[in-house]
Amino acid sequence: MTTRAGRHFLQIPGPTNVPDRVLRAMDYPTIDHRGPDFARLTHEVLEGLRPVFQTRGSVVIYPSSGTGACEAALINTLSPGDRVLIMETGWFSHIAWRHPAEKLGLRVDYVPGTWRRGASPETVEERLTADRTHEIKAVVVVHNETSTGVTSRIADLRRAMDNARHPALLIVDTISSLASIDYRHDEWGVDVTAAGSQKGLMLPPGLGFNAVSDKALAAAKSSKMPKAYWDWEPMLKNMASGFFPYTPATNLLYAMREALAMLHEEGLTEVFARHQRHGDATRAAVRGWGLEVLCEDPREYSNSLTAILMPDGHDADRLRTLILEKFDMSLGTGLGKLAGRAFRIGHLGSFNDLMLAGTLCGVEMGLRLAGVPHTDGGVMAALDSLGVPVGKAEAVLS
Ligand code: PLP
């Protein structure tokens, strides 16, 4: 690894920048995971976590990546041969849901999408209404599609399911939205929410979560999918008394206690508003450069990341490589069919106005040096959007 002065700018859409306070909190000796101090830690973490999911129900914590939490959602609620409706939103609806679902022996109806719009409530309602015998056991939606920067409207999808009077479970992936974009597990009638530690929660990778409704717990009783490590039952039984059925990621739980304290000190409403400001400012920058935001519907703009289309004939990865080499900033690559055609700016987690200004300056400098056709003024437009209007100094002087 080469040594470079100053901080690296980690502006991929997760893993995100881990605050110093959280890093310090991890830096303690690992304790006995069957002792009383550990039980207190688990209880504190669960108490802080439930309001983040906006649930009063059960939350399971796995020592796993986000993909593990997705697999756990399927394994615990379904049986081999069950039909599931998975909404295509981008790379992650495929790699984290369709692919494992098929491997697990589920029959997947993969509802096509353009990667520029969120899951369509109208289509969900149509598909479920047509399923008169209730063969479809679950609808799976990625709340914030990390490959495209498009946020599906879960409340509207819930309404569509209710309109169809269909009993399917609603399973939602919040891996890049939890703790950055408003998300309401209970109010929106979500049955299983899958999440991970490394994005809005400001933690290193390594923890996966399932928030679970009573309806999902009831479905788990009749699920015939083979399960051991992911089984909710021993997890929930152990976690009720503050323990895990196997060795937990103790130091990541120290980190999570601290990160949750930070989120609650700032206030979740303020956290969501901060992400909204940064999302708005980033989109203003993109328009200022004369480039195109991938997301087509303003109701579905993501406040945790922005995917930007490159002008024809210009390679997004060449731009990203130049920005990394010159300015020590990592941006998100285009995934799947967007490889080379788009890059992504992550603006989630522990992030503030100056970090955003630095990030956008790095992109603008990169666009110039790479010879990508654009107009100047993206950074200025972003500052304007942040409430620092251009021309203000003259107004003060006069
Ligand atoms: N789902 C979404 C929306 C994601 O963004 C990611 C990872 O970025 C995943 C699933 C997979 O999570 P992990 O890479 O932690 O396994």
Side-chain angles (χ1 to χ4, degrees):
M1 197 199 270
T2 47
T3 302
R4 306 189 64 165
R7 285 230 166 181
H8 173 66
F9 268 62
L10 182 65
Q11 296 318 138
I12 58 174
T16 60
N17 298 285
V18 179
D20 293 353
R21 202 173 135 182
V22 172
L23 289 173
R24 295 289 88 79
M26 274 195 323
D27 189 10
Y28 277 90
T30 302
I31 54 171
D32 173 10
H33 59 287
R34 312 230 183 259
D37 286 346
F38 187 86
R40 267 191 293 278
L41 172 65
T42 305
H43 289 310
E44 279 173 39
V45 160
L46 286 175
E47 206 171 297
L49 200 50
R50 280 193 195 97
V52 175
F53 283 97
Q54 303 195 41
T55 184
R56 291 175 184 279
S58 305
V59 179
V60 175
I61 304 173
Y62 294 106
S64 80
S65 86
T67 304
C70 301
E71 188 162 326
L74 299 174
I75 284 185
N76 277 284
T77 53
L78 299 166
S79 300
D82 278 354
R83 237 175 111 188
V84 292
L85 203 65
I86 301 181
M87 307 304 289
E88 179 184 15
T89 45
W91 177 248
F92 287 104
S93 62
H94 164 71
I95 202 67
W97 293 99
R98 179 198 196 179
H99 174 72
E102 286 177 347
K103 291 239 164 191
L104 290 168
L106 296 167
R107 284 185 296 146
V108 176
D109 294 355
Y110 195 52
V111 181
T114 64
W115 291 37
R116 300 195 68 170
R117 298 259 165 134
S120 155
E122 294 75 22
T123 306
V124 167
E125 188 168 335
E126 265 166 39
R127 293 284 190 125
L128 293 185
T129 305
D131 177 36
R132 292 191 199 292
T133 54
H134 296 169
E135 245 188 77
I136 296 170
K137 299 302 176 204
V139 175
V140 176
V141 184
V142 176
H143 180 214
N144 186 69
E145 177 52 73
T146 322
S147 61
T148 63
V150 178
T151 307
S152 286
R153 290 164 287 138
I154 304 300
D156 292 351
L157 289 160
R158 173 77 263 168
R159 214 165 295 125
M161 292 176 70
D162 293 345
N163 290 344
R165 296 177 196 280
H166 196 290
L169 297 168
L170 176 57
I171 298 178
V172 181
D173 173 341
T174 61
I175 288 171
S176 62
S177 57
L178 192 80
S180 26
I181 300 171
D182 190 13
Y183 179 78
R184 307 175 184 193
H185 176 90
D186 285 1
E187 187 184 319
W188 294 344
V190 178
D191 294 299
V192 190
T193 299
S197 54
Q198 72 271 27
K199 306 204 189 221
L201 286 173
M202 310 181 290
L203 298 168
L207 295 176
F209 310 95
N210 279 173
V212 182
S213 74
D214 288 344
K215 188 171 154 189
L217 284 177
K221 294 224 179 308
S222 55
S223 151
K224 294 192 176 51
M225 201 73 83
K227 53 184 91 60
Y229 183 83
W230 302 115
D231 194 348
W232 286 340
E233 200 182 323
M235 272 302 229
L236 288 169
K237 208 178 275 172
N238 277 266
M239 287 182 80
S241 49
F243 300 108
F244 284 66
Y246 37 67
T247 311
T250 309
N251 291 53
L252 283 177
L253 297 175
Y254 296 158
M256 186 152 74
R257 177 167 54 190
E258 196 66 21
L260 289 167
M262 289 175 72
L263 286 171
H264 294 308
E265 282 161 21
E266 183 176 354
L268 283 175
T269 310
E270 288 72 17
V271 169
F272 301 145
R274 172 165 57 78
H275 283 81
Q276 170 89 53
R277 276 183 82 233
H278 291 159
D280 286 342
T282 305
R283 292 182 286 270
V286 178
R287 282 183 217 108
W289 292 320
L291 299 178
E292 199 179 344
V293 172
L294 182 68
C295 178
E296 282 179 338
D297 185 340
R299 291 174 303 173
E300 298 175 337
Y301 281 152
S302 167
N303 288 329
S304 57
L305 76 130
T306 302
I308 299 153
L309 280 170
M310 290 294 280
D312 283 345
H314 292 269
D315 181 33
D317 285 335
R318 188 175 154 262
L319 173 71
R320 287 189 327 104
T321 303
L322 182 146
I323 290 172
L324 178 62
E325 283 170 0
K326 290 265 179 211
F327 308 118
D328 200 18
M329 175 161 74
S330 294
L331 295 167
T333 188
L335 293 168
K337 67 182 183 186
L338 294 171
R341 291 179 52 216
F343 66 97
R344 297 168 298 146
I345 301 176
H347 34 79
L348 74 165
S350 176
F351 200 57
N352 63 26
D353 289 8
L354 273 186
M355 292 163 87
L356 179 67
T359 300
L360 297 175
C361 274
V363 174
E364 192 163 308
M365 292 189 290
L367 290 169
R368 279 190 207 174
L369 292 179
V372 176
H374 69 286
T375 47
D376 283 337
V379 170
M380 287 297 196
L383 298 185
D384 211 34
S385 167
L386 288 175
V388 189
V390 178
K392 184 83 177 165
E394 284 165 34
V396 172
L397 282 175
S398 59

